[in-house]
Each structure stands twice: as structure tokens, then as C-alpha cells.
Amino acid sequence: MILRQLATKFRTCGRYLHTNNNPDLATAIAELNKEMESVFGDPPPVSNTSPINDLPNMAQVTQFVPQSIGENEQGLTHISNTGEAQMVDVSSKESTKRVAIAGCRVILGKKAFDLVSANQIAKGDVLSVAKIAGITGAKQTSNLIPLCHNINLTHIRVDLTLNEKDFSVEIEGEAASTGKTGVEMEAMTAVTIAGLTVYDMCKAASKDIQITDVRLEHKRGGKSGEWSRKK
């Protein structure tokens, strides 16, 4: 809020640049200098000539004013120029095939791992149920994540593999679509929901279960092209 007020006063000073002796400019500069001193601790350098020469010092404050999304291509696309959350308008984008692969791990511990391996969990076949849950979760992504687009998925794959080395379940999910926005969130939702399902079905056997390493592994399609996580 304070920085926004400083930015407003700085713009006010700029409106008087055409008149060096304008008394409103001197007043605005004095007020801004006081505000800067209260925020940053030290007063800005003072010029011994005209008030207009103080403007280079005041310009330093602009580095603290956030840029709008339009000025910064690396900005958050789900934040509008006024700082409000928004759903991105993708109507002007080109439709391309989009694919995303994500993964996660569920560390069960030896006791729960042995029960899952032997298919002796009381709730049933853990891996099969979690696979279906992951597929269902991917299709519900836009309902779970507020600013995700409701897209038509053409393919969903969820694979669960037991890993004896660390008594874990390794989960990989893949989502695909042909459209104007990516499917990264669908792939990550698939593996997350699958992991949560494994936890739910095994929690009676162990309270030490951990869901870890939820991450995007690969994506392709769209303006940003192809990307893979470095191993």
C-alpha cells in the first residue's frame, strides 16, 4: 500500500515537469521525500539548485513499483494488471496437441508395502483403485483448481509401480489434449489423487506414509514448445 502511494505521488510530480517554477511541483517533491524517508530510513539526496533536479533521486522509487503483466512476459499470467486473480483468455491461441507427464512417490514403509504387495489391504486392490482414482481426478481438474480451463482430454494414463528399494509406490501420469491450453495440471492432479488414494487405502496399516516429489516431468505443445526435467 505504501509503495502504491509513493508511485501515485511520483506520477503526480511528473505532471508538472513542463514548468520548472511550478509551486505544486516543489510541494509534491517535498511530500514524496518525506514518504521515502519514512519507508527507507534515510532521506534522499537533496539538490542545491532547483526542485526539478531532485527528480533523478525520486526516480529510484520506480524500481519498487511492480510491473504490469503486459510489460513483463515472464509475469504471472493468472494475475491481472490490477493485481486481481483472473482466468487467462486463450481464445487467440493456436490449437495444438498438448501432452504432459508428471510423477510422484508414496513412501509406504515396510509393513504397508508388504501388505500392498500381497494384496492384503483390507480396503482392496490398492494399485487398481488408485489408478482409476487418478484418471477420474485428471478429468475433474478444472473443478479442483479454480483458474484451470475446462478442457477436453483425449488421453489419460496412470501407472503405479512398487519399488522394493525404499518401500514406495512410484506413480506416473500422462494427460493429452488438442487445444489452446496445456495439460500440466491434469497430469499432476492425476498423480496426486492417485497418491492420496494409496494413502487412504493404507492409512490403517501405517501412519508414517508420505506423499512426495509431485512434479512435472515433461510437456510438449503450445507456444513454449517441449520441456523435460533435467535428470
Side-chain angles (χ1 to χ4, degrees):
M1 179 63 70
I2 294 175
L3 293 178
R4 185 174 294 177
Q5 293 173 349
L6 289 176
T8 300
K9 291 185 178 181
F10 179 72
R11 288 193 293 269
T12 300
C13 293
R15 288 198 292 267
Y16 301 116
L17 288 177
H18 65 281
T19 306
N20 288 354
N21 296 322
N22 193 316
D24 291 329
L25 176 60
T27 300
I29 291 174
E31 291 179 356
L32 182 55
N33 284 340
K34 289 180 181 179
E35 293 286 347
M36 291 176 65
E37 182 176 353
S38 65
V39 174
F40 304 114
D42 295 320
V46 178
S47 170
N48 293 325
T49 56
S50 68
I52 200 70
N53 291 327
D54 285 339
L55 287 174
N57 298 321
M58 292 190 301
Q60 296 171 1
V61 77
T62 59
Q63 64 181 312
F64 299 100
V65 180
Q67 290 181 317
S68 66
I69 296 302
E71 296 170 345
N72 182 7
E73 293 181 356
Q74 301 301 316
L76 299 176
T77 57
H78 288 76
I79 302 297
S80 68
N81 290 337
T82 60
E84 298 176 342
Q86 67 175 0
M87 190 172 185
V88 178
D89 184 356
V90 298
S91 57
S92 62
K93 288 188 175 182
E94 180 182 356
S95 290
T96 62
K97 184 174 181 180
R98 317 275 186 145
V99 177
I101 298 174
C104 82
R105 294 168 63 237
V106 183
I107 302 175
L108 295 172
K110 189 176 189 310
K111 178 183 177 181
F113 182 86
D114 289 343
L115 290 172
V116 172
S117 298
N119 197 16
Q120 293 181 350
I121 291 293
K123 288 189 174 183
D125 186 346
V126 173
L127 303 185
S128 295
V129 174
K131 179 185 183 76
I132 298 301
I135 293 172
T136 302
K139 294 190 291 185
Q140 295 297 319
T141 301
S142 63
N143 293 327
L144 297 170
I145 311 298
L147 301 180
C148 277
H149 293 81
N150 186 1
I151 63 178
N152 293 318
L153 292 170
T154 57
H155 173 65
I156 308 169
R157 171 181 62 83
V158 179
D159 293 329
L160 296 92
T161 305
L162 292 172
N163 187 337
E164 283 189 84
K165 293 182 179 179
D166 60 359
F167 305 115
S168 70
V169 180
E170 296 182 354
I171 306 175
E172 182 176 271
E174 179 180 7
S177 176
T178 298
K180 298 183 177 184
T181 188
V183 289
E184 293 93 328
M185 294 307 303
E186 283 72 16
M188 287 196 289
T189 298
V191 298
T192 302
I193 296 299
L196 287 169
T197 302
V198 171
Y199 184 98
D200 175 64
M201 297 188 71
C202 299
K203 66 180 186 292
S206 174
K207 297 296 187 290
D208 292 330
I209 299 171
Q210 300 178 53
I211 301 173
T212 67
D213 301 330
V214 178
R215 74 271 181 195
L216 180 68
E217 294 286 6
H218 176 78
K219 62 84 59 181
R220 70 173 182 267
K223 184 178 180 180
S224 60
E226 190 163 350
W227 176 90
S228 294
R229 181 173 298 279
K230 295 180 179 179
K231 301 297 184 179

